[in-house]
Amino acid sequence: MKILYVEDEKYMARAVAQVLRKNNYSVDLAHDGESGLDLACSGLYDIVVLDVMLPKRNGISVLSAMRKQGLETPVIMLTAKSEIEDKVAGLDSGADDYLTKPFQTDELLARLRALGRRKGQLVPDNTLVFGDIEFNHNTLNLSGSGKSFRLTLKEGQLLEMLILNKGQAVSANSIIEKLWGWDSGADDGYVQVQVSFLRKKLALISETVRIKTIRGVGYLLVEETENQTDV
Ligand code: CA
């Protein structure tokens, strides 16, 4: 899961991001409302964590601009204890959840899991299911056919993208963006290597789940039955 965290208190932002990354979330930071809105509008994030008091544009204005543009990305608002009115305003502009500052990172992690569930994609113990495989997003454990092993973080991020986009091919570009970031210099070759690692592991653990390459489009997770012919 990819999180955008918009927070102007840089020390806190970095500390929280570190905890989220340890829990296998991929995190991008923005330190003011304008850049936060720009990033949120990329549509690349699964959840946005949005502080209310921000320079350039406050969180409530960012959120209402996101919703006006039709972005349905779940948003967790961060408000100070004294900002009860902000809570009400935030509700009106379409926040999905709130956290009052200061908060424990455990509490944030619980909210993130809850929002993931609400999207209907994650089951309670952070397990994604596709065909005969199960992937635990927290432990990176892939299991199926009575076997199980741990994926690397990149393999896990890739598998998660493929499962969450089921039925739709995922482009090499969006894989680069999620796994390495635009400015990393990663190219299609990096993607091919990770796809080939993941294919080998899927072949060991699943009878039916395969990654198909759709030429010119990207990669698609499929369940193959015997009667299906390869496209
Ligand atoms: Ca702030």
Side-chain angles (χ1 to χ4, degrees), residues 7-230:
E7 168 65 75
D8 57 316
E9 291 156 59
K10 291 186 184 171
Y11 177 79
M12 177 183 165
R14 277 195 292 267
V16 171
Q18 202 174 11
V19 175
L20 294 182
R21 286 180 187 129
K22 267 191 195 147
N23 283 271
N24 299 324
Y25 288 99
S26 149
V27 185
D28 285 344
L29 296 175
H31 298 304
D32 64 72
E34 269 172 21
S35 57
L37 179 60
D38 283 348
L39 281 172
C41 288
S42 69
L44 288 165
Y45 298 96
D46 300 299
I47 297 178
V48 177
V49 180
L50 186 58
D51 190 26
V52 169
M53 298 299 288
L54 288 169
K56 295 191 184 171
R57 187 166 192 157
N58 73 41
I60 290 166
S61 153
V62 170
L63 176 58
S64 61
M66 282 173 63
R67 295 298 184 240
K68 261 182 207 143
Q69 294 185 32
L71 271 177
E72 289 171 4
T73 315
V75 170
I76 300 177
M77 285 285 234
L78 302 178
T79 78
K81 265 200 179 104
S82 55
E83 298 163 346
I84 299 301
E85 279 175 22
D86 289 337
K87 278 199 180 186
V88 178
L91 259 183
D92 289 343
S93 41
D96 298 84
D97 205 348
Y98 291 94
L99 211 47
T100 305
K101 283 173 149 185
F103 58 85
Q104 303 287 322
T105 43
D106 279 352
E107 202 181 345
L108 177 59
L109 287 167
R111 304 293 174 96
L112 290 172
R113 285 195 295 272
L115 274 185
R117 281 202 292 281
R118 214 184 292 174
K119 285 175 84 185
Q121 293 163 332
L122 292 168
V123 291
D125 58 351
N126 302 306
T127 303
L128 293 161
V129 179
F130 186 95
D132 60 353
I133 61 163
E134 283 186 20
F135 172 63
N136 185 302
H137 144 91
N138 267 13
T139 61
L140 299 174
N141 209 58
L142 176 67
S143 54
S145 317
K147 287 173 282 192
S148 113
F149 46 75
R150 196 167 180 268
L151 298 182
T152 65
L153 179 57
K154 294 257 185 290
E155 290 163 355
Q157 288 173 328
L158 175 60
L159 180 60
E160 187 176 74
M161 280 185 89
L162 291 169
I163 294 177
L164 293 179
N165 285 282
K166 56 188 155 194
Q168 279 185 310
V170 179
S171 71
N173 274 347
S174 47
I175 294 170
I176 290 171
E177 171 62 25
K178 276 232 179 186
L179 269 60
W180 294 278
W182 281 126
D183 45 6
S184 62
D187 59 20
D188 289 6
Y190 284 60
V191 176
Q192 282 159 20
V193 167
Q194 291 302 324
V195 168
S196 105
F197 286 158
L198 186 55
R199 274 190 174 131
K200 282 179 192 149
K201 293 192 173 170
L202 282 173
L204 290 173
I205 219 149
S206 173
E207 302 291 327
T208 56
V209 178
R210 300 287 178 260
I211 303 171
K212 267 191 179 164
T213 305
I214 313 287
R215 259 176 222 296
V217 183
Y219 300 93
L220 177 67
L221 198 63
V222 294
E223 255 196 291
E224 280 180 346
T225 57
E226 276 179 40
N227 298 328
Q228 257 174 346
T229 46
D230 240 50

